[in-house]
Amino acid sequence: MSTAATSGAGVPVIEVRGLRKEYPGVLAVDDASFSVAPGEVLGLVGKNGAGKSTVIKMLAGLVTPDAGEVLVDGEPQALTSSHAASLLGISVVHQELALVPRSSVAENVFLGLPYPRRAGLFVDWSALHGRARAVLERLGLAVDPRTPVDELSVAQQRMVMIARCLAWDARVVVLDEPTASLTDDEISHLLEVIRQLADAGVAIVYVSHRLEEVLGATDRVVVMRDGSVVADLETATLTKQTLVAGITGEAGASESQTVHVERTGRPPGAELLRVTGLTRAPALHGVDLVLREGEVLGLAGLVGAGRTELARVLFGVDAPDGGTITVRGKDVVLRSPRAAMRERIALLPEDRRHQGNDTAQSIRQNTTLPTLNRHRGVSWLPRPSAARERVASEEMVGRLGIKARDTEVAVGTLSGGNQQKVVLAKWLVHGADVFVFDEPTAGIDVEGKADVYGIVGELADAGKAVLFISSDLPELAAVSDRVVVLREGRVVAELTGSQVTESQILHHCYGGEAAVASA
Amino acid sequence: MATGQTDAPAGGDPGLVGAGTAARPAAEPKGVGGGARPPGRRRPGWVQLVARGGVLVALLLVVVAFGIARPDTFLTTNNLNAILQQAAAPAILAIGLTVPLALGEFDLSIGAMVGLGGASALALITLHGVAWPAAVLLALGIGLLVGLVNGVFIAYLGASSFVQTLAMGVILLGVEYLFTNQQTLFSGVPQGYKDLGQSDAILGVNIQIWLALLVAVLMYLFLEQTETGRRIYAVGGNPDAARFAGVSVKRLRVLGFVIVAVAAVVTGILITAQGGSSQPNAGVPFLLPAYAAAFLGSATFRPGTFNVPGTVVAVLFLGVIQTGLQMLQIATAWINIIQGVVLIAAMLISRLERKHA
């Protein structure tokens, strides 16, 4: 079981051999072998469901492998708990922020480690803050260690999680989608920090769907597919196309195929939704926009520009302070998601984990939740017929390519992309005229993204209006007929036709001089 | 399976495309149909069966055990009838409690509501000369009102369930004392009212048992077979996701508090009807057994989920050990300890089952 391309990089600090993990009905990891040397940045890529998450969990000591072994400094080790993994110098920065919100930065950095004490009993806070400051300095993070972490930005919180790895003297740091929901500047800073850590001899495993970042930041890339490592190559030899091909297992997949939406090219029809002067403090300050039948309106903006806030107001989750929402020429007040659904508006929420599904329930039960009264066995009896629900959900499983044994499995057992498809299935069964998609492809693999684009195209061609929110600008430019750019709660630009390009969108997102640096 | 591993940088596309060009369909059959593979570490079916039907099996076992230990007294029609009758009123409360629990809420005022429910009906009859059917309706109305207040304060005004229902329990106890002056009410209770707890006109079986059976069937159908029931479980599972799917989360929460409050009044009425009297502060001892039954029930049939059949079996189980242990003349102290241990054991079994589900 030789791992390629490690020659000359020294003794691997960590090596996994033949890892395997099977869950009931799902072989999550079949055969994973790779190694990382000190000072090396290893990219780990693969579709959702390829087995990356399970491998990470095994390295973190959260999941026990069925077979295979993990060697640290050449010695086989049993990673029986996350504590055991930490003691061996393996630290994992999970995708979700795992911090104690109301505790200080210093407390979070040293969480689980013994605090310095005074008289052997009381916490020596000044010593703790001093140590924290030293760690934060190494990361170039200029925050007071006494700040509660919930007052920090997402990027800073992620840095705190990385600081925790340093506090533990980690020799292997696993980063799972570390750049999700970060701005470009924050991303480049993070990548610099990663490079510094590597230069200091830390072995990095960098897990991401953002292939440009993987290509830019790593020394070597391991590709997983269907639970196995299918490639292990020097980054210098790779291009985005070859990487995509490796991930999908399809020859000749090219970049243009990644974001491609089939459309009939019909011009948009009548006005469906009009938003005038929509205000909600502190995020929205007088937003105007119009959505027509059969069009995809892209909504661009940096984090904090007010995109999600707008989506929430349109779906009746939050009430606006001012302004009007007009649906099919009629002013409406949307007091709840139910009210929005009556106006035939649907929302695919950004926070899939908390707002998407009841993960303990089955695909069938989640899919039919908004439409329970349409699946009755007897029309006058408010009793859902499981058989009818199954027909509806099975149709969606087929249409959206949801990978599951059957529609009775709990949604929680599915990969992130498939969970997102279940949320989508809900709204396709329910039907709507206006679909608001808030970051529908975040954390989804290449194939899943293509499936989502396909659905967006189908909906628009069927005369629906789609409001498409995405931070992935190439995707936004490819999917949208028209793009509205939000900045600080205001519409700052509307781009149509040939103006809909990544650089134009970016230009308006940053506004003025900043655009030159970023574009 | 590492057929796609390429040792040398391939330089072109094909190098990466080794294993399974039809990646998507290939992902599915794995692990499901693959016969050559060892079965992994799935728990054997009988373990799951024991965990799911655990309390039911335990119930049968203790019935048999007590039957053997006390053959002359335990397995007699009279005794079983008595156990069922004793379990009936607490069962109605526990079944009612299953609804807010399924919604992810809880209500600590239900014990005091039992007391006020029975006491208010009896006070209206004996002290104010109200006809008993009207008194029963008025008591049920009080329950409805209390449930509404709890629900609206918690769901719409953002009160914490803990503080709201704890405080409501104290208030209800105060109101009960206002109604009854902390007196035991027993004189002038009409037979019609007593019959609500004592009649065995139907097949010689006590009316409370019939009533509990009716409530159990109706609530089972409500929670597991109706659209509203499905929405209730959706709210309990993930309230945000339910709201984003158009479920009226707040209204359902109010409904949950109303149902349990009304169930508590019914329980209170049955107790006072059976005894023909109302003692001060008689309801509070009903609080913990109701939670014990609901939680024990959540370990049964649908582990991790509060469900009516589970609650019913749990009430019977707790009732049988109570009566059986009393018949074996075991000290009350030990009966308490045994019941507590049984509850914790049931929870652990349910957790284990869930972990592996």
Side-chain angles (χ1 to χ4, degrees):
Chain A
M1 202 56 56
S2 73
T3 45
T6 48
S7 52
V11 183
V13 56
I14 189 161
E15 180 175 1
V16 301
R17 285 187 190 158
L19 285 186
R20 175 191 171 83
K21 181 73 196 177
E22 185 176 357
Y23 293 109
V26 184
L27 183 60
V29 174
D30 190 2
D31 180 5
S33 304
F34 58 85
S35 66
V36 199
E40 188 182 30
V41 182
L42 175 76
L44 180 59
V45 299
K47 293 181 294 191
N48 288 333
K52 295 173 314 221
S53 301
T54 309
V55 167
I56 295 168
K57 283 180 188 160
M58 289 193 268
L59 289 179
L62 298 172
V63 165
T64 315
D66 294 337
E69 54 184 358
V70 178
L71 288 79
V72 179
D73 296 328
E75 296 284 320
Q77 298 283 358
L79 303 175
T80 50
S81 68
S82 67
H83 191 72
S86 299
L87 289 178
L88 287 164
I90 305 168
S91 280
V92 179
V93 177
H94 292 283
Q95 200 173 339
E96 295 83 29
L97 296 165
L99 297 166
V100 187
R102 287 307 302 164
S103 292
S104 70
V105 170
E107 287 170 277
N108 272 287
V109 168
F110 289 96
L111 196 69
L113 285 166
Y115 286 178
R117 295 194 196 172
R118 244 190 261 275
L121 189 62
F122 304 108
V123 175
D124 184 347
W125 290 108
S126 59
L128 182 71
H129 293 147
R131 286 191 200 176
R133 218 168 272 126
V135 174
L136 297 176
E137 243 163 54
R138 280 181 67 189
L139 296 175
L141 184 60
V143 298
D144 188 326
R146 290 168 297 186
T147 320
V149 291
D150 62 356
E151 289 176 16
L152 303 182
S153 71
V154 174
Q156 288 172 323
Q157 293 185 3
R158 210 164 285 275
M159 283 295 177
V160 171
M161 291 173 68
I162 296 173
R164 188 186 286 169
C165 304
L166 296 188
W168 277 92
D169 282 325
R171 294 182 304 138
V172 182
V173 173
V174 182
L175 298 157
D176 189 6
E177 297 285 350
T179 56
S181 65
L182 299 194
T183 64
D184 285 357
D185 283 350
E186 290 165 345
I187 291 171
S188 55
H189 178 228
L190 180 79
L191 296 182
E192 262 170 47
V193 166
I194 289 170
R195 184 45 67 188
Q196 279 169 19
L197 288 178
D199 289 345
V202 178
I204 309 271
V205 179
Y206 189 91
V207 185
S208 181
H209 283 306
R210 303 193 179 183
L211 302 183
E212 293 89 349
E213 282 170 18
V214 171
L215 289 169
T218 62
D219 302 315
R220 200 155 53 84
V221 177
V222 161
V223 180
M224 287 192 72
R225 189 164 76 229
D226 298 337
S228 298
V229 170
V230 294
D232 186 341
L233 297 165
E234 300 278 356
T235 307
T237 65
L238 294 168
T239 65
K240 192 176 171 192
Q241 279 94 324
T242 56
L243 212 46
V244 169
I247 291 167
T248 56
E250 286 163 26
S254 70
E255 203 168 341
S256 62
Q257 273 177 314
T258 321
V259 185
H260 181 68
V261 187
E262 285 283 338
R263 293 287 295 280
T264 55
R266 221 178 306 149
E271 177 181 313
L272 269 177
L273 178 82
R274 174 179 286 271
V275 172
T276 318
L278 202 66
T279 302
R280 179 182 160 86
L284 303 173
H285 307 284
V287 173
D288 301 314
L289 56 83
V290 174
L291 256 170
R292 294 187 190 83
E293 284 177 357
E295 75 169 345
V296 180
L297 175 62
L299 189 61
L302 302 174
V303 173
R307 295 167 302 169
T308 294
E309 289 80 358
L310 178 62
R312 287 173 65 96
V313 170
L314 289 180
F315 193 56
V317 179
D318 298 325
D321 300 333
T324 52
I325 299 170
T326 314
V327 181
R328 286 177 226 89
K330 206 178 79 203
D331 288 0
V332 294
V333 179
L334 305 172
R335 284 183 219 284
S336 65
R338 266 170 78 82
M341 284 160 67
R342 271 196 294 274
E343 299 298 338
R344 301 193 49 81
I345 300 171
L347 170 70
L348 210 66
E350 179 190 29
D351 185 352
R352 167 168 73 222
R353 252 168 73 83
H354 296 106
Q355 297 162 355
N357 292 304
D358 177 357
T359 49
Q361 304 258 41
S362 67
I363 296 176
R364 167 178 66 82
Q365 287 168 315
N366 274 287
T367 304
T368 56
L369 184 60
T371 50
L372 277 177
N373 57 2
R374 289 191 220 157
H375 308 285
R376 292 177 180 176
V378 186
S379 63
W380 51 268
L381 197 67
R383 177 182 174 278
S385 148
R388 280 165 179 262
E389 290 179 63
R390 208 166 286 128
V391 170
S393 51
E394 271 164 8
E395 189 199 325
M396 284 301 148
V397 165
R399 182 169 165 197
L400 299 174
I402 296 171
K403 281 175 214 161
R405 191 176 43 187
D406 55 51
T407 59
E408 294 305 313
V409 300
V411 170
T413 63
L414 305 178
S415 71
N418 284 313
Q419 293 192 14
Q420 179 75 313
K421 287 178 181 173
V422 175
V423 186
L424 193 50
K426 261 186 232 200
W427 295 117
L428 293 180
V429 173
H430 181 268
D433 294 334
V434 177
F435 286 86
V436 182
F437 284 14
D438 194 356
E439 300 284 1
T441 60
I444 294 193
D445 62 59
V446 175
E447 271 176 21
K449 283 181 182 177
D451 292 338
V452 171
Y453 304 146
I455 294 293
V456 168
E458 274 175 40
L459 289 172
D461 285 343
K464 314 292 184 191
V466 180
L467 183 64
F468 194 91
I469 303 174
S470 177
S471 298
D472 184 338
L473 297 184
E475 162 184 299
L476 193 72
V479 171
S480 309
D481 301 323
R482 195 155 60 89
V483 171
V484 163
V485 182
L486 283 185
R487 190 165 73 236
E488 288 163 11
R490 291 181 182 84
V491 173
V492 293
E494 184 179 330
L495 307 171
T496 51
S498 59
Q499 295 173 304
V500 181
T501 64
E502 189 183 347
S503 59
Q504 279 284 326
I505 296 171
L506 204 59
H507 174 79
H508 290 289
C509 280
Y510 284 97
E513 66 287 340
V516 183
S518 305
Chain B
M1 279 300 289
T3 43
Q5 257 189 354
T6 40
D7 275 33
D13 294 0
L16 284 171
V17 188
T21 35
R24 187 186 295 197
E28 275 187 270
K30 272 190 182 172
V32 185
R37 191 169 294 119
R41 284 183 203 167
R42 293 183 66 172
R43 292 164 70 88
W46 68 267
V47 174
Q48 291 183 25
L49 204 67
V50 166
R52 289 216 175 133
V55 182
L56 188 60
V57 173
L59 173 62
L60 297 176
L61 284 180
V62 289
V63 167
V64 171
F66 288 132
I68 292 166
R70 287 287 179 276
D72 305 331
T73 47
F74 189 82
L75 280 180
T76 59
T77 324
N78 270 348
N79 186 48
L80 294 182
N81 221 331
I83 290 176
L84 288 177
Q85 182 179 333
Q86 223 166 38
I92 290 172
L93 181 65
I95 291 165
L97 178 61
T98 306
V99 181
L101 289 175
L103 279 159
E105 294 287 341
F106 59 87
D107 185 342
L108 300 175
S109 67
I110 56 172
M113 192 69 246
V114 169
L116 176 61
S120 60
L122 228 60
L124 286 168
I125 295 166
T126 60
L127 304 178
H128 303 284
V130 177
W132 72 262
V136 166
L137 287 178
L138 282 170
L140 291 172
I142 293 173
L144 188 80
L145 193 70
V146 169
L148 273 177
V149 171
N150 273 340
V152 168
F153 272 62
I154 289 163
Y156 285 90
L157 305 178
S160 114
S161 315
F162 186 81
V163 177
Q164 169 67 35
T165 60
L166 195 63
M168 182 58 86
V170 178
I171 293 171
L172 295 182
L173 200 58
V175 175
E176 183 197 315
Y177 290 172
L178 282 182
F179 266 111
T180 63
N181 295 322
Q182 279 182 269
Q183 304 290 310
T184 297
L185 307 175
F186 58 92
S187 60
V189 181
Q191 190 57 42
Y193 186 81
K194 289 183 186 168
D195 278 345
L196 289 177
Q198 298 172 353
S199 162
D200 48 9
I202 309 167
L203 299 175
V205 174
N206 185 277
I207 184 170
Q208 293 185 55
I209 299 169
W210 288 115
L211 204 58
L213 192 67
L214 181 71
V215 169
V217 169
L218 287 180
M219 291 306 289
Y220 165 76
L221 290 175
F222 173 65
L223 273 183
E224 309 218 358
Q225 300 289 329
T226 69
E227 289 159 13
T228 310
R230 279 278 294 282
R231 294 190 186 110
I232 284 174
Y233 280 121
V235 171
N238 186 343
D240 275 338
R243 181 159 165 252
F244 276 71
V247 174
S248 309
V249 174
K250 291 174 181 175
R251 250 183 270 175
L252 288 178
R253 286 202 170 128
V254 174
L255 180 66
F257 284 105
V258 168
I259 286 175
V260 71
V262 170
V265 171
V266 172
T267 303
I269 289 173
L270 293 183
I271 293 158
T272 50
Q274 180 180 326
S277 69
S278 146
Q279 265 105 30
N281 198 7
V284 172
F286 285 83
L287 176 65
L288 283 180
Y291 277 90
F295 274 89
L296 192 54
S298 76
T300 313
F301 300 127
R302 298 172 61 192
T305 309
F306 293 98
N307 65 95
V308 172
T311 302
V312 170
V313 171
V315 170
L316 290 176
F317 175 68
L318 293 173
V320 165
I321 28 180
Q322 170 104 28
T323 311
L325 293 174
Q326 276 164 358
M327 281 184 166
L328 296 179
Q329 280 155 354
I330 288 169
T332 314
W334 283 107
I335 295 179
N336 278 335
I337 291 168
I338 291 168
Q339 283 180 332
V341 169
V342 164
L343 186 59
I344 292 171
M347 298 284 273
L348 285 178
I349 292 170
S350 144
R351 294 279 309 168
L352 282 178
E353 162 66 13
R354 263 231 287 185
K355 258 187 201 165
H356 289 264

